[in-house]
Amino acid sequence: MAIQSVGVVGAGQMGNGIAHVFALAGYDVLLNDVSAEAMVKAVATIDRNLERQVGRGKIAADDKAAAMARIRTTERIEDIARTDLVIEAATENEAVKNRIFDSIVPHLGPDTILTSNTSSISITRLASRTDRPEKFMGFHFMNPVPVMQLVELIRGIATDEPTYRALVDVVERLGKTSASAEDFPAFIVNRVLVPMINEAVYVLYEGVGNVRSIDESLKLGANHPMGPLELADFIGLDTCLAIMNVLHDGLADTKYRPCPLLVKYVEAGWLGRKSGRGFYDYRGETPVPTR
């Protein structure tokens, strides 16, 4: 399967990062979002991040110019369907993802591969609603996409070998490393990572430590580059909660029960960096713990 053009649905933090690495690797990228403003912001973010790479000597100025020239945007979801590879990178909500695939499927060519950047939702279930479950996979990039080296490849129960091999080749061309994961809730990385974050929230909830002491303990005591609560804010507390709910519902084990304090923060709209407040308040010059 020769993949030259890539359609990315969702121009948020993950979508713009995915568009960035594909354009830099020589793919033609078409970026779509329901918000025209989000697409403008995404292209500006990609330009800024590429310029940062030029400044650090990671890429040449010509590489940046060529990558930016490969990125186009569209408000028409049917345009995305004409690409060789579709990557859905919308919010971690199964109903939203299903609506996206429902709108794309009628316009697809026979060989187009469908993928989702979901961090936890069943690939088999998402694929079953499309006309090509054999050409459907989980394509889970880590955040921030231009920096993180891992891509999880998740086969649904019907995914065929040529589709899997095609995506292995794509990841290699991106200069990243693929890890194959079975289609069970949250796959590998988030099956381990997000329950650790949830446990850190329980430690905060129970008063064992405050935000700063919990984060400093894991950074200095376990050599983590970022504390778990700081990391939760970076990921988005709504995303962390969604993953915990998928784990709790899918595996029916009480150890995956979301911490009530995590739920409360999400109910308050304190979702982390993207909303200005989470376990830290980001509205000043430096982040300040909120508990």
Side-chain angles (χ1 to χ4, degrees), residues 89-264:
T91 185
E92 191 68 355
N93 180 300
E94 188 165 353
V96 171
K97 293 179 186 297
N98 282 332
R99 285 197 297 272
I100 289 168
F101 288 120
D102 287 347
S103 64
I104 288 174
V105 164
H107 308 284
L108 289 173
D111 297 321
T112 299
I113 294 175
L114 290 179
T115 68
S116 175
N117 185 56
T118 179
S119 53
S120 62
I121 297 168
S122 168
I123 298 303
T124 298
R125 195 164 62 238
L126 289 173
S128 70
R129 292 174 57 97
T130 74
D131 66 341
R132 61 196 63 209
E134 73 286 351
K135 293 185 183 300
F136 194 111
M137 278 193 67
F139 205 20
H140 182 213
F141 288 81
M142 306 296 127
N143 186 33
V145 180
V147 175
M148 301 296 280
Q149 287 300 302
L150 184 73
V151 183
E152 282 184 316
L153 298 181
I154 306 100
R155 298 195 221 199
I157 197 170
T159 305
D160 63 23
E161 186 66 17
T163 299
Y164 170 73
R165 294 308 321 171
L167 291 191
V168 168
D169 291 345
V170 167
V171 174
E172 186 174 338
R173 181 171 164 183
L174 294 177
K176 297 187 181 294
T177 300
S178 60
S180 296
E182 294 299 316
D183 185 22
F184 289 98
F187 320 129
I188 295 173
V189 173
N190 284 324
R191 172 79 177 264
V192 176
L193 178 65
V194 180
M196 182 201 74
I197 290 172
N198 191 57
E199 192 63 26
V201 183
Y202 267 114
V203 171
L204 179 65
Y205 176 61
E206 293 167 5
V208 179
N210 60 29
V211 168
R212 197 176 297 281
S213 65
I214 292 167
D215 277 351
E216 287 299 309
S217 293
L218 268 294
K219 284 193 285 187
L220 301 180
N223 205 29
H224 289 194
M226 189 181 291
L229 301 176
E230 183 185 3
L231 179 57
D233 277 358
F234 183 74
I235 293 169
L237 304 194
D238 52 341
T239 299
C240 292
L241 179 58
I243 293 169
M244 287 308 301
N245 282 328
V246 166
L247 283 165
H248 193 235
D249 295 344
L251 299 172
D253 192 321
T254 55
K255 72 180 181 181
Y256 297 118
R257 183 173 73 99
C259 179
L261 184 60
L262 177 60
V263 175
K264 194 62 64 181

Side-chain angles (χ1 to χ4, degrees), residues 19-26 45-71 146-147 174:
H20 173 140
V21 298
F22 271 91
L24 196 56
T45 298
I46 295 167
D47 185 83
R48 187 168 61 250
N49 288 340
L50 284 168
E51 187 60 35
R52 188 177 292 121
Q53 288 181 297
V54 172
R56 292 174 179 171
K58 300 288 187 182
I59 63 173
D62 287 349
D63 296 330
K64 176 199 168 181
M68 290 302 300
R70 294 187 190 104
I71 299 172
V147 175
L174 294 177

